[in-house]
């Protein structure tokens, strides 16, 4: 369920475009910013970042909202890794103009794809002069533990010269608040009356918790695997108890 406001900024191709949405979902408070940076115009692209994008990031609708900035950037940070030209140009005028100012425009933000895949070569745009990874999604570095996956899709049926980029963001709520319904499966701890098996279970849980992360985001990612292991351990001890009877 989302709520909030949509803030949009419409420009011509010469000055770029912005579309912003404030979204609250599953405990996450997100400031979604969709960007189109002017193409083939180094100074214009730089000015767009410094004047328009910087303003949007500095004035979110909620000071606690996490920015997720995505779109067609029309420049790359590392042309050797993210471009492939027919004429072997190392970089474009947009690359030269935008890369130096981006850290100040979006401080602390990282490229989700490159963070997850440091050396992978993949391209989102194909044109007459070559290919490039122009479409990217950025978040703050501290938000990366909530980014569970990011990829470039190979959707050939789309009539476009760009391929879509997707990012998966985990909910901030560790446990969904749903009313218990009839017929919901419960984990039966049949071994509990057996003191020896009970002690074994308690020691196992204590050992698992010693290795649990303390940071909230990391704990959220650790919890599902721990829960599966706990269920498997209970079933194993229930089987041991049945064998003793």
């Amino acid at each position: 369920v989302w709520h909030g406001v949509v803030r949009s900024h419409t420009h011509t191709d010469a000055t770029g475009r912005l579309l912003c949405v404030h979204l609250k979902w599953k405990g996450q408070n997100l400031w979604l910013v969709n960007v189109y940076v002017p193409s083939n115009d180094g100074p214009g692209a730089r000015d767009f970042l410094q004047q328009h994008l910087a303003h949007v990031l500095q004035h979110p609708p909620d000071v606690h909202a996490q920015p997720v900035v995505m779109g067609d950037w029309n420049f790359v940070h590392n042309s050797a890794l993210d471009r492939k030209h027919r004429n072997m140009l190392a970089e474009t005028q947009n690359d030269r103009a935008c890369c130096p100012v981006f850290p100040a425009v979006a401080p602390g933000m990282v490229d989700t794809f490159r963070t997850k895949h440091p050396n992978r070569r993949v391209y989102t745009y194909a044109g007459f002069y070559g290919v490039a990874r122009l479409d990217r999604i950025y978040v703050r570095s501290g938000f990366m533990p909530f980014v569970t996956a990011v990829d470039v899709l190979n959707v050939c049926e789309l009539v476009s010269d760009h391929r879509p980029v997707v990012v998966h963001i985990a909910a901030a709520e560790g446990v969904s608040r749903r009313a218990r319904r009839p017929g919901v499966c419960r984990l039966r701890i049949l071994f509990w009356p057996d003191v020896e098996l009970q002690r074994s279970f308690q020691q196992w849980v204590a050992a698992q918790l010693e290795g649990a992360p303390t940071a909230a985001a990391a704990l959220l990612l650790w919890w599902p695997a721990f829960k599966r292991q706990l269920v498997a351990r209970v079933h194993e001890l229930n089987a041991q108890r049945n064998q003793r009877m």
Side-chain angles (χ1 to χ4, degrees):
V1 178
W2 78 273
H3 75 83
V5 296
V6 176
R7 296 183 178 180
S8 63
H9 306 264
T10 304
H11 308 280
T12 66
D13 285 351
T15 56
R17 301 189 189 97
L18 286 171
L19 177 64
C20 310
V21 178
H22 184 205
L23 174 69
K24 291 189 176 181
W25 166 82
K26 295 289 187 179
Q28 296 287 15
N29 185 358
L30 305 174
W31 182 220
L32 306 179
V33 180
N34 194 16
V35 179
Y36 173 79
V37 174
S39 62
N40 302 320
D41 181 8
R46 180 195 60 219
D47 293 346
F48 173 77
L49 294 179
Q50 292 179 316
Q51 296 173 15
H52 298 289
L53 180 59
H55 176 79
V56 164
L57 293 179
Q58 291 168 8
H59 299 87
D62 184 334
V63 295
H64 301 294
Q66 288 285 346
V68 179
V69 189
M70 66 204 88
D72 179 359
W73 296 88
N74 276 315
F75 78 90
V76 300
H77 297 282
N78 184 345
S79 58
L81 187 59
D82 289 326
R83 284 194 184 278
K84 192 173 183 180
H85 284 271
R86 285 185 176 185
N87 55 8
M88 303 303 293
L89 289 176
E91 57 184 5
T92 67
Q93 59 177 341
N94 268 24
D95 296 342
R96 291 188 292 270
C98 295
C99 289
V101 304
F102 188 83
V105 169
M109 302 202 73
V110 296
D111 177 355
T112 55
F113 181 88
R114 191 53 71 208
T115 302
K116 291 283 189 181
H117 310 287
N119 301 306
R120 182 179 166 193
R121 289 183 179 274
V122 65
Y123 307 104
T124 65
Y125 165 78
F128 179 79
Y129 291 104
V131 293
R133 192 172 64 89
L134 301 181
D135 307 271
R136 302 183 296 276
I137 301 174
Y138 295 86
V139 299
R140 287 178 180 155
S141 57
F143 191 72
M144 275 303 298
F146 288 103
V147 176
T148 58
V150 57
D151 207 350
V152 176
L153 300 185
N154 186 18
V155 185
C156 300
E157 63 269 21
L158 289 180
V159 183
S160 174
D161 54 359
H162 288 259
R163 294 167 63 188
V165 181
V166 296
V167 64
H168 294 190
I169 296 176
E173 298 175 350
V175 180
S176 60
R177 298 181 177 90
R178 294 185 299 175
R180 190 177 294 278
R181 300 191 303 269
V184 173
C185 295
R186 295 180 175 87
L187 184 64
R188 303 183 65 186
I189 308 178
L190 302 177
F191 67 84
W192 198 255
D194 188 314
V195 176
E196 182 181 347
L197 296 179
Q198 180 186 132
R199 184 181 302 110
S200 173
F201 177 75
Q202 292 172 332
Q203 292 173 346
W204 179 87
V205 171
Q208 297 299 312
L209 294 180
E210 285 181 359
T214 56
L219 183 63
L220 177 66
L221 299 177
W222 172 86
W223 177 258
F226 166 71
K227 188 166 64 172
R228 290 192 297 269
Q229 294 170 4
L230 184 144
V231 171
R233 182 61 176 165
V234 168
H235 288 323
E236 178 183 340
L237 293 174
N238 284 344
Q240 293 182 24
R241 183 245 187 186
N242 291 337
Q243 292 174 358
R244 295 183 180 186
M245 294 182 64

